Amino acid sequence: MIIHNNEIAQKLDEMGDLLAIKGANKYRIRAYKNAARSIRSQGRRIDEMIDSGEDLTQLDSVGKDLASKIKEIVSTGELSDLKKLKNQLPSTLLNLLDLEGLGPKRVKRLYDVLEIETQDDLKKAADNEKIREVKGFGKKTENNIREQLLDNNEKDRRFRIDKVEELIEPFRAYLQNIDTVSDLVIAGSYRRRKETVGDIDFLVIATDSKNMIEAFTKYEEVKKVISKGNTKSSVMLKTELQVDLRVVEKRSKAPALLYFTGSKKHNIKLRKLGIDKGYKINEYGVFKDDKRIKCETEEDIYKLLNLEYIEPELRENRGEIKAAKRNKLPDLIENKDIKGDLQMHTKHSDGSSSIKEMVEKAIEIGYEYIAITDHSSYIGVTNGLSDSEIPSYLDELKRVDEEYSEINVLSGIEVDVLEDGKLDLTDESLKRMDVVIFSIHSHFNLEEKKQTDRILTAMDNKYVNIFAHPTGRMINKREGYKYDIEKVVQHAASSNIIMEINGSPSRLDLDDINSKMASDNHVSLVINTDAHSPKELSFMKYGISQARRGWVQADEVINTLNFTDVIKKFKR
Ligand code: DGT
Ligand code: CA
Ligand code: CA
Ligand code: ZN
């Protein structure tokens, strides 16, 4: 059995911690902790030392007694003393020690007095202000605990795609640089471009798998090696992102890529389809009567099953296999289809930059047009525009548009919808804009019927064009507000309102499901970045992948049109 040094050390650590909670002799506790530290810092594998008959007592902080315990862990994977302790005390108490301000003694006291065993118990007790009543604890400690638990919950969440990208691209580059790597892809939900990612799945074709795995686990951002085998390994990065690695043979590349891209449900459907046709499909290959069928690409495998090629963004088992069978898959929108960006902010409200700076970046990207759409003033935080400020805002926009012949700069506004569905600026102001975006930034908790009516009322203002970030959800932060979205979508279709797919990775709103629903209802869509700085104009790619996940085609998205056609869309 292969057992990593980290796993041995962890068991010794747990032993020390549980003894401490129990109130054991401090020298005994320290012995376990020191041995754990010593083993973690060994350059050599302890299990191999044991195999070759070496004496473990030559290691720092390891005496006869500990040496025999370590041998027990390596040969059985368990430590019987630890098991015994875990029968006496809940092992979940160990998770409480991770919190700042909670040492073994205090954990024990909370367990004795309030029967707190888990972080959940602790959270409840903190919320009910029970902890401050325990001897040795105060209001301050209680608050500190509550705050830490809130932060921890944040960590359990899935990672936003932009954050994952930032963490994983340097790792990809590091692995790519290893000599024996011939091919490396990130599969899983990252390749399917989901808005959040649970973990990262690297797939590597390499001639020397052992060397590859060694390098993988030695990456400097690795906090913990979770597992390490001959062809696969998992690590936890310091940022708490888990990364899995699979090394496969060249001939398994396509089936492995298909398998590890998922989704799981899509895979299961494909496998069943294969069985019906007499094929066995798994991550190693495609087989008929135990004979390998040569499949060099994913396309080859789909073709074998009489299916059109299915793009990763569609592989969610939401009808894509049926559509592929009938050659009815959508012709998905691509980055290169986009000709402009119709929502962005400048210093006229909460943006960081001037109109010119935004325009220059847009020219650099190669856009034919953009709209500057600063906020109205209703939500004070955005420092937006009031009716009296509109004329000078428009003057400046006009001047900039004239100054840059390479691009068309449309005048726009993102006007707030008030509680009753009226808008935050007068029709006189709105009328003067090339494009009017309306959106909701307040009163999220209205009852569903009221919220729906509020939105329908806003749509009936004859100067509005685009309903921005229509559900208001913030990824990992808050759900969208409740309203009858089908009704609103139908109303948008019949009254020529364009619905936005907001590309900001904190929003991605509409999401895939709602984008598909809107497009099925023949609503025109727009993909905007909602950039608050020139750099954020690059959010377009996230909007595009979200649209692709929603089966959206270029001809459904107005900012794929050229300038003369797009402005026609704003006449209602
Ligand atoms: P995530 O990490 O939660 O964002 O989502 P995925 O899709 O990346 O899921 P993950 O990392 O658990 O697994 C990667 C892919 O491996 C998954 O999309 C499909 C494949 N896979 C994993 N487990 C199974 C399984 O039990 N059956 C099949 N057919 N495929 C699986
Ligand atoms: Ca994954
Ligand atoms: Ca995984
Ligand atoms: Zn907004």
Side-chain angles (χ1 to χ4, degrees):
M1 181 161 62
I2 296 170
I3 187 152
H4 198 273
N5 289 5
N6 258 330
E7 298 170 61
I8 302 170
Q10 191 178 346
K11 289 215 157 40
L12 299 176
D13 259 337
E14 284 184 1
M15 191 71 201
D17 286 337
L18 277 176
L19 283 171
I21 293 173
K22 202 175 163 226
N25 172 308
K26 70 177 173 197
Y27 296 102
R28 222 177 132 211
I29 299 166
R30 212 172 285 162
Y32 280 100
K33 298 299 257 181
N34 289 344
R37 194 171 316 126
S38 166
I39 283 171
R40 278 214 174 82
S41 65
Q42 289 307 314
R44 305 181 45 208
R45 290 252 306 268
I46 303 290
D47 54 355
E48 285 170 0
M49 288 178 67
I50 295 174
D51 277 351
S52 57
E54 285 175 64
D55 181 6
L56 295 183
T57 61
Q58 61 178 299
L59 301 174
D60 285 347
S61 310
V62 177
K64 261 196 172 157
D65 185 43
L66 272 159
S68 80
K69 298 220 152 85
I70 294 167
K71 277 187 189 153
E72 184 193 343
I73 296 172
V74 172
S75 62
T76 67
E78 310 268 10
L79 181 59
S80 52
D81 284 353
L82 182 60
K83 272 187 147 173
K84 260 185 239 155
L85 262 183
K86 284 184 176 175
N87 283 333
Q88 297 166 19
L89 284 171
S91 57
T92 49
L93 291 179
L94 294 169
N95 305 334
L96 304 185
L97 290 174
D98 293 341
L99 298 169
E100 181 203 301
L102 283 189
K105 280 199 185 117
R106 291 183 142 201
V107 166
K108 180 69 170 12
R109 191 168 312 140
L110 289 174
Y111 174 59
D112 289 341
V113 179
L114 297 174
E115 293 177 22
I116 290 172
E117 296 185 7
T118 63
Q119 291 204 354
D120 267 355
D121 295 344
L122 190 64
K123 170 112 191 356
K124 265 183 218 133
D127 287 343
N128 295 328
E129 304 187 344
K130 293 278 181 223
I131 291 173
R132 60 179 73 178
E133 291 164 14
V134 179
K135 193 171 158 239
F137 291 79
K139 218 163 145 177
K140 213 171 135 200
T141 319
E142 184 180 88
N143 285 335
N144 183 18
I145 288 171
R146 189 184 305 112
E147 272 165 31
Q148 288 186 65
L149 289 170
L150 284 176
D151 288 351
N152 281 0
N153 282 344
E154 205 100 16
K155 272 190 214 142
D156 290 342
R157 289 189 181 137
R158 299 170 59 84
F159 283 70
R160 245 167 57 179
I161 184 156
D162 57 319
K163 306 218 158 143
V164 147
E165 208 165 70
E166 205 171 284
L167 300 175
I168 216 62
E169 289 306 329
F171 199 176
R172 186 213 291 263
Y174 162 87
L175 293 174
Q176 205 102 55
N177 265 337
I178 298 166
D179 296 344
T180 52
V181 172
S182 71
D183 215 336
L184 177 140
V185 264
I186 305 179
S189 52
Y190 188 76
R191 183 167 180 238
R192 302 198 312 279
R193 305 312 284 161
K194 273 190 76 166
E195 57 217 24
T196 62
V197 162
D199 67 16
I200 283 290
D201 306 279
F202 275 117
L203 192 66
V204 176
I205 321 293
T207 47
D208 182 351
S209 148
K210 207 169 165 198
N211 168 45
M212 181 69 219
I213 296 227
E214 209 48 49
F216 175 71
T217 56
K218 294 238 160 73
Y219 180 56
E220 60 173 354
E221 290 301 310
V222 169
K223 179 169 100 176
K224 193 174 131 195
V225 177
I226 299 166
S227 67
K228 190 174 167 188
N230 292 326
T231 59
K232 58 180 170 181
S233 173
S234 291
V235 296
M236 183 64 82
L237 300 185
K238 289 172 189 161
T239 46
E240 301 287 328
L241 173 65
Q242 185 179 320
V243 184
D244 298 342
L245 173 81
R246 269 289 182 138
V247 186
V248 301
E249 291 177 66
K250 190 146 188 270
R251 61 177 183 172
S252 295
K253 185 186 163 187
L257 182 59
L258 186 66
Y259 182 91
F260 291 109
T261 297
S263 68
K264 190 170 160 180
K265 283 182 176 163
H266 177 88
N267 288 352
I268 289 170
K269 266 268 170 69
L270 283 186
R271 196 163 52 209
K272 280 201 187 119
L273 203 60
I275 290 169
D276 293 344
K277 297 189 188 303
Y279 296 113
K280 189 174 98 188
I281 304 173
N282 57 31
E283 65 261 55
Y284 304 105
V286 180
F287 305 88
K288 187 154 206 168
D289 308 324
D290 287 334
K291 270 193 30 210
R292 175 182 293 273
I293 298 188
K294 198 169 163 191
C295 289
E296 285 185 347
T297 61
E298 288 179 314
E299 279 90 338
D300 291 345
I301 303 174
Y302 282 114
K303 204 184 264 168
L304 205 64
L305 300 173
N306 286 329
L307 298 175
E308 246 186 299
Y309 175 70
I310 302 174
E311 296 284 354
E313 291 93 329
L314 296 179
R315 301 181 194 170
E316 298 291 344
N317 189 33
R318 292 203 206 113
E320 72 277 10
I321 292 175
K322 206 167 167 188
K325 241 184 241 175
R326 301 174 181 168
N327 277 318
K328 285 265 161 63
L329 284 174
D331 183 10
L332 296 181
I333 186 166
E334 295 174 43
N335 292 325
K336 65 173 170 52
D337 294 322
I338 296 294
K339 300 212 169 78
D341 191 338
L342 297 169
Q343 188 188 170
M344 68 191 69
H345 301 270
T346 72
K347 281 184 176 158
H348 285 281
S349 60
D350 58 349
S352 70
S353 309
S354 65
I355 296 176
K356 282 189 178 187
E357 286 168 305
M358 297 305 282
V359 168
E360 281 169 13
K361 186 70 194 182
I363 293 172
E364 190 188 312
I365 295 172
Y367 285 150
E368 198 181 324
Y369 52 86
I370 57 168
I372 302 287
T373 56
D374 273 302
H375 286 278
S376 65
S377 59
Y378 176 68
I379 34 166
V381 283
T382 62
N383 189 27
L385 300 154
S386 60
D387 283 302
S388 65
E389 292 165 310
I390 294 294
S392 67
Y393 170 66
L394 286 172
D395 283 347
E396 188 180 340
L397 280 171
K398 194 161 171 236
R399 272 202 310 278
V400 175
D401 185 30
E402 280 163 6
E403 186 178 336
Y404 293 91
S405 59
E406 310 94 309
I407 194 166
N408 297 291
V409 180
L410 293 169
S411 60
I413 192 89
E414 179 180 6
V415 63
D416 262 279
V417 178
L418 308 179
E419 187 175 358
D420 60 1
K422 294 213 182 73
L423 302 175
D424 186 28
L425 291 169
T426 60
D427 282 358
E428 275 57 52
S429 294
L430 299 180
K431 192 157 70 179
R432 299 186 60 192
M433 303 286 165
D434 293 324
V435 52
V436 174
I437 294 178
F438 66 103
S439 58
I440 287 179
H441 294 110
S442 66
H443 305 286
F444 296 135
N445 295 324
L446 298 187
E447 161 285 280
E448 183 174 332
K449 168 89 172 55
K450 268 204 175 136
Q451 196 71 276
T452 309
D453 289 343
R454 175 191 188 190
I455 297 167
L456 296 176
T457 304
M459 285 173 143
D460 285 339
N461 176 300
K462 61 183 166 195
Y463 300 109
V464 302
N465 305 114
I466 295 173
F467 185 16
H469 46 76
T471 76
R473 67 103 171 238
M474 297 292 283
I475 291 170
N476 283 351
K477 288 221 170 75
R478 70 164 192 245
E479 307 246 314
Y481 32 90
K482 303 253 175 308
Y483 67 97
D484 185 343
I485 191 162
E486 280 84 4
K487 200 165 175 182
V488 164
V489 159
Q490 281 153 17
H491 197 65
S494 62
S495 52
N496 281 324
I497 296 287
I498 298 145
M499 290 182 79
E500 183 184 67
I501 296 174
N502 189 294
S504 164
S506 61
R507 293 191 181 272
L508 295 172
D509 176 19
L510 301 171
D511 68 6
D512 50 337
I513 306 236
N514 285 326
S515 297
K516 184 160 193 304
M517 198 259 289
S519 94
D520 287 347
N521 280 282
H522 310 289
V523 172
S524 290
L525 297 167
V526 61
I527 306 174
N528 291 330
T529 62
D530 198 355
H532 285 66
S533 66
K535 191 164 166 258
E536 289 181 0
L537 289 171
S538 68
F539 289 166
M540 188 58 79
K541 62 178 178 189
Y542 302 117
I544 302 280
S545 40
Q546 189 73 343
R548 288 168 65 85
R549 286 171 25 78
W551 297 49
V552 172
Q553 310 197 131
D555 59 9
E556 299 172 291
V557 176
I558 65 155
N559 51 325
T560 63
L561 297 171
N562 59 35
F563 182 65
T564 42
D565 291 327
V566 79
I567 52 177
K568 286 181 200 151
K569 292 280 174 185
F570 305 138
K571 305 266 173 286
R572 287 178 64 207

